[in-house]
Amino acid sequence: MGFIRTCTGVHRSKLIVALAALSLLAACTGSGEAGSDSKQEGETQIPPNTAAPEPVTLTFFEPSTGQSKQLFMEQYGAAIEKKFPHVKTNFVHITPKEGGGYILLPDLLAAGTHIDIVFSSIGAIHSRFIDFNLQTDITDLIQKYKFDLSRLDDTAVGLMKEIAGGGMYGLPVTNNPSVLVYNRDLFDKFGVSYPKDGMTWDEIYEIAKKLTRKEGDVNYRGFVTSFSHIALMNQLSAHFVDRSTFKPLLVTDDKWKKHADNLIRFFRIPGNDVQSTNLAQMNKWFVEERIAAMNATQVWLAPSDPMNLVNWDMVSLPEYSDLRGVGSQPYPTYFNITNMAKGNARDTAFQVIAWLTSDEYQLAKSKEGVLPMNKNPDIRAAFGANMPFLQGRNVKALMPAKPADASVWTKYTPVANSAMLEQLDLVLRGEIDVNVALRQAAETVEKKVAEDKAK
């Protein structure tokens, strides 16, 4: 879908473990004397005249399609092996099967595949990690190495603590919030001023009406959106289900009707209806056909992405008039240590994911256009500095000053989101109204919860 991606040992001697603990302690707290011997945050050191760490192979798994060993090495593996010469990275991922389909995580586990670290977006953390009972609390490692969680995005840390019942299964490394992307050429074509940061949904609605028009045989659309991402990162902080009972809240929480009505109205603008298509088509209208002027969605920035064939820019996600200043919820990617990692491999795995959140690594990736989870303002200010295609674009829109409070994430959050998406498709086609859509989506969730309880 163009630029959118949906939208996830060997035992060491006690001496070496102690030395590693001391070195990471200094790294994660940023302590150390000033001067030529100061160490960068996140850097582990082997004291002189001691044996080098024993070699460790860490196996990583990422649960989405379209991954490859080459891509993993470019994004993470090469940097990890350079920083930790005693660590060799192995990467397993979803691959096509002969005759169709894919080799998925259940197939890998059934084949006895060892996995030390699963990294995925928040959206896949249940279905591709916790549902397979791979999780383990790493609070002991956080305490052992005195890792400072306050350096990381508060909402992302809070999300993980919520999911882990107060513990931590992993650390947030990158982020992908939602923004409003727009096609500058279409605004110029029709003489409409570009949108700005901090606009309300009502203001964007008025702009969308101006840009929805027919020129010759081309039906230009003022606004499209990724309903799925906007719901998962909704600014109302509405919860799909109750955290304890898993009872769906789509009907009982009025925020969901407010959320749905806000988006549906854009597709009641004459000429912007979607009765002859489905929601998945909308991104194509923006990226490939270039007939949509604005797209509220999650973005993943890369220089080779088809998105860059569009003369695009972005602004912050439009705000509700009664929630001024509140932006998108974060959509973090976590690196989670599995319960397969034991002994030295478990400690090494933590050292590696801790370094992925360090100033050193996060600054380098931020300059490459990867949204950081480290709160250091210098790291955020450097975002996109080494990426020519981002120069002159409003990248600060990706880092709202006040992100919305996170919704509760459970294993039924993706179920509820999918059910609501299916029903809203029917609303857009004029087959049912919003109240019926939310009720039927809630019934789907209730059925799924009942089926799981019966098992």
Side-chain angles (χ1 to χ4, degrees), residues 61 92-95 103-115:
F61 173 74
V92 294
H93 56 103
I94 294 174
T95 55
I103 298 174
L104 302 173
L105 182 56
D107 304 307
L108 295 170
L109 296 177
T113 303
H114 179 91
I115 300 172

Side-chain angles (χ1 to χ4, degrees), residues 392-406:
R393 291 192 163 111
N394 182 30
V395 295
K396 69 179 185 296
L398 291 159
M399 294 169 276
K402 187 179 178 182
D405 292 336

Side-chain angles (χ1 to χ4, degrees), residues 127-244:
S127 61
R128 309 295 172 85
F129 178 61
I130 297 173
D131 286 356
F132 294 94
N133 294 315
L134 294 173
Q135 72 275 15
T136 182
D137 188 6
I138 62 170
T139 300
D140 61 317
L141 294 170
I142 292 171
Q143 295 171 345
K144 176 178 180 178
Y145 293 108
K146 294 183 171 55
F147 183 85
D148 185 6
L149 286 172
S150 69
R151 294 170 42 249
L152 306 182
D153 181 89
D154 296 328
T155 304
V157 171
L159 269 171
M160 176 55 74
K161 285 183 175 292
E162 173 78 30
I163 291 169
M168 292 289 289
Y169 297 150
L171 300 176
V173 174
T174 65
N175 188 22
N176 284 98
S178 291
V179 293
L180 182 73
V181 188
Y182 63 94
N183 184 328
R184 289 185 285 209
D185 288 342
L186 293 186
F187 277 81
D188 293 342
K189 179 180 179 69
F190 299 120
V192 178
S193 298
Y194 298 154
K196 300 177 181 178
D197 289 330
M199 280 189 160
T200 65
W201 283 104
D202 293 338
E203 290 172 320
I204 295 300
Y205 176 74
E206 294 302 319
I207 294 175
K209 288 195 293 186
K210 296 177 182 178
L211 290 162
T212 301
R213 58 179 72 192
K214 190 168 185 178
E215 293 274 324
D217 294 331
V218 181
N219 180 30
Y220 291 99
R221 298 176 175 275
F223 176 90
V224 296
T225 188
S226 169
F227 276 83
S228 177
H229 290 104
I230 298 301
L232 290 171
M233 293 174 271
N234 73 88
Q235 295 150 291
L236 301 172
S237 302
H239 309 318
F240 281 96
V241 298
D242 182 86
R243 62 165 53 88
S244 301

Side-chain angles (χ1 to χ4, degrees), residues 1 3-8 64 121 123 176 226-230 232-233 297-300 331 417 421:
M1 294 177 63
F3 71 122
I4 303 173
R5 302 192 182 176
T6 55
C7 241
T8 90
S64 66
S121 69
N176 284 98
S226 169
F227 276 83
S228 177
H229 290 104
I230 298 301
L232 290 171
M233 293 174 271
T297 187
Q298 181 189 48
V299 297
W300 187 290
Y331 197 78
N417 184 44
L421 183 66

